[in-house]
Amino acid sequence: AMYFSTGGRRTRSALYRVSFKGENKGGAPAGKPELLDLRRGLEAGGEPAGLLAHEDWRIRHAARTAVEQKLLAGGKVALEGDDRLGVIEAVIAWARCSGKGSPELRKELLGHLQRLDLDALDSSGKISWLRALGLVCMRLGEPTDAERAALAKRLEPRFPSGDEQVD
């Protein structure tokens, strides 16, 4: 059951209990138990190789979390590859797990993001790309004037994009 209350100062207050009556079907989404097993394997420390670009966002998230744990444990994770989503997720993991203000790493991660073809990404991919860019700039220090100019040159013609989610 779930409880919540309403009300406040000088208003009528109440406490409500909400519960579900029906059959609990829990577990994996219908027809997808292999994805649940894959995600649980990643969460238990499985190898995330090749899964950063998985079509299911839950698997990508679990794989990125596994990469972050590997990085925090002192391991290395390659950023090479031509899979756009995989590179974006790897950049997010590196930015989240790296120390503050590393100009060398910032330059490397920005380079990986700059090499990706933004026009080939769907709306979700563009949002992830922008998130990765924001994390790199926030956690690894402000971009230099040259980096800032290169990013502006790349982004200005694409915005506004007409996609409300991306803009």
Side-chain angles (χ1 to χ4, degrees):
M2 174 180 73
Y3 293 88
F4 66 93
S5 62
T6 62
R9 291 186 175 166
R10 294 186 210 107
T11 63
R12 186 172 172 210
S13 57
L15 177 66
Y16 295 93
R17 178 177 185 239
V18 178
S19 59
F20 173 74
K21 291 188 179 186
E23 185 180 339
N24 182 5
K25 296 183 181 177
K32 304 271 184 167
E34 66 279 356
L35 291 181
L36 183 61
D37 292 341
L38 180 59
R39 191 188 75 197
R40 286 186 176 156
L42 286 168
E43 290 169 349
E47 182 58 43
L51 296 174
L52 285 171
H54 196 276
E55 61 188 13
D56 188 312
W57 68 268
R58 293 170 197 88
I59 303 299
R60 283 196 311 267
H61 177 77
R64 191 190 75 235
T65 302
V67 167
E68 289 171 359
Q69 301 224 344
K70 191 175 180 180
L71 289 170
L72 289 173
K76 296 289 181 192
V77 176
L79 274 166
E80 300 306 318
D82 26 337
D83 198 333
R84 295 179 295 271
L85 283 178
V87 171
I88 292 170
E89 292 293 332
V91 167
I92 289 173
W94 273 93
R96 284 172 43 107
C97 294
S98 300
K100 286 209 173 257
S102 172
E104 298 83 20
L105 183 59
R106 182 192 64 236
K107 183 178 180 179
E108 181 184 348
L109 296 180
L110 286 176
H112 284 289
L113 289 175
Q114 289 280 45
R115 280 191 281 282
L116 296 176
D117 181 12
L118 278 176
D119 297 325
L121 295 171
D122 62 358
S123 182
S124 173
K126 289 176 183 171
I127 292 169
S128 294
W129 189 91
L130 290 168
R131 178 171 183 248
L133 176 63
L135 282 170
V136 168
C137 293
M138 284 187 291
R139 295 186 179 226
L140 301 176
E142 277 191 40
T144 63
D145 290 338
E147 292 168 339
R148 195 176 293 124
L151 287 168
K153 181 179 178 184
R154 181 133 193 240
L155 292 174
E156 281 180 359
R158 290 177 172 84
F159 289 96
S161 67
D163 183 343
E164 189 174 304
Q165 296 291 321
V166 175
D167 291 341

